[in-house]
Amino acid sequence: MKITKHRDLTLVDINKDQMLVISCDSSGAIGNKEKDIVKVSPEVTGYYATQVSLMEILSFGAEPITIVNTLSVEMDDTGKKIINGIKKALEPLDFDMSSVITGSTEENFPVIQTGMGITIIGIVDKKNWERPYTQAGLLSVVVGIPKIGNEVIADNNSTIMNISRLLELKEKKYIKEILPVGSKGILYELEEMAKTNNIDFQLEKNINIDLKKSAGPSTCVLVSIEEDKYEEFKNNFSIPVNKIGRFV
């Protein structure tokens, strides 16, 4: 059994035909408890924490088979509400949630600040899978706007990524690779995409998006796209699309 890393993912070759793909995320001080800093409902906390990990799994081309929630809150009622948010994030996918979600809660001590972790295990059928790749000549494009904290709530899904939109991107053959942007910002992920594909990039001279701002719960993604499809894609996708450079 071979275990390797690909960016934030852990890859486990379990046999010649199948590979496990593992992603995770955590959230702290986001919820409706006394010491939470960003005040939102627990459902929102569960939804966005799940979105981060799920986007990483789906972008790599794996199918989720297990969702593990480790909740540092009581089950009744904060934990139940977080789990409802997890289920909402999974709704665009067609599978039986009751058989794939498992987890644990804190029942020994009273909790005054919300904390949670989530791990998603996906599987790849290597016979029917093409590893996402980026090559020189493709454009580097950001889909969505980087937002964090209360900005995410105020946006109401009007300019940011979600699972349904990610699934739309995966259907477009001219998009060669999708990389969710996290707390380290767009420029960091652009450098990672170039490094893991053994290529370089050139930035546009005029960029109207903050390349270093945290994208919070993956409110935007970086994609590599065929140049002749860019304008069509930009003009027809439901949230903002910004060209930031070219891979060379």
Side-chain angles (χ1 to χ4, degrees):
M1 184 169 60
K2 181 181 179 183
I3 302 175
T4 57
K5 292 286 292 184
H6 178 74
R7 300 174 184 148
D8 292 334
L9 298 173
T10 298
L11 313 179
V12 184
D13 277 300
I14 52 177
N15 56 51
K16 66 181 181 65
D17 296 324
Q18 294 175 306
M19 174 174 62
L20 295 180
V21 182
I22 304 169
S23 70
C24 63
D25 192 48
S26 61
S27 173
I30 303 173
N32 63 356
K33 290 190 174 295
E34 176 188 348
K35 295 295 184 179
D36 284 333
I37 295 174
V38 178
K39 296 291 187 179
V40 297
S41 71
E43 286 92 345
V44 170
T45 304
Y47 176 90
Y48 281 110
T50 304
Q51 172 170 293
V52 173
S53 189
L54 187 57
M55 279 189 175
E56 291 178 345
I57 288 284
L58 295 173
S59 296
F60 195 67
E63 177 185 352
I65 55 173
T66 303
I67 291 88
V68 183
N69 59 82
T70 46
L71 310 184
S72 299
V73 297
E74 77 291 344
M75 175 61 87
D76 191 10
D77 65 353
T78 306
K80 290 179 180 178
K81 291 179 178 178
I82 289 176
I83 293 169
N84 286 338
I86 293 171
K87 291 179 178 178
K88 183 177 179 182
L90 298 172
E91 282 179 359
L93 305 176
D94 184 21
F95 55 61
D96 180 7
M97 296 185 197
S98 64
S99 64
V100 299
I101 299 176
T102 187
S104 179
T105 56
E106 175 55 69
E107 304 302 333
N108 294 302
F109 306 103
V111 178
I112 59 174
Q113 189 174 58
T114 304
M116 69 166 291
I118 191 152
T119 298
I120 300 183
I121 302 172
I123 194 165
V124 165
D125 178 0
K126 289 186 280 188
K127 293 179 295 184
N128 299 310
W129 173 72
E130 183 177 340
R131 191 184 187 100
Y133 73 98
T134 295
Q135 61 186 23
L138 295 174
L139 297 182
S140 52
V141 172
V142 177
V143 185
I145 303 295
K147 296 192 174 184
I148 188 172
N150 290 317
E151 295 175 331
V152 179
I153 311 305
D155 184 87
N156 197 30
N157 266 319
S158 62
T159 68
I160 62 177
M161 283 297 302
N162 58 30
I163 299 301
S164 294
R165 288 172 176 145
L166 182 74
L167 294 176
E168 285 185 58
L169 296 182
K170 285 173 58 63
E171 291 297 316
K172 300 182 184 301
K173 301 300 183 185
Y174 52 79
I175 292 178
K176 301 303 181 181
E177 188 172 10
I178 305 169
L179 180 53
V181 179
S183 60
K184 295 178 181 177
I186 295 166
L187 183 59
Y188 173 83
E189 303 297 355
L190 179 60
E191 291 169 345
E192 284 293 294
M193 184 178 281
K195 182 172 67 175
T196 53
N197 286 284
N198 296 311
I199 52 178
D200 205 346
F201 63 87
Q202 293 177 342
L203 291 174
E204 294 284 291
K205 291 183 179 179
N206 298 308
I207 298 176
N208 298 316
I209 192 168
D210 190 341
L211 297 185
K212 294 185 177 180
K213 180 177 179 178
S214 168
S218 295
T219 59
C220 63
V221 298
L222 177 68
V223 303
S224 56
I225 182 174
E226 295 174 1
E227 184 171 10
D228 62 353
K229 295 292 185 179
Y230 170 71
E231 290 297 331
E232 173 190 339
F233 173 57
K234 178 181 173 66
N235 293 332
N236 290 283
F237 204 64
S238 58
I239 58 175
V241 173
N242 287 279
K243 179 172 64 174
I244 61 170
R246 179 189 305 273
F247 292 99
V248 294

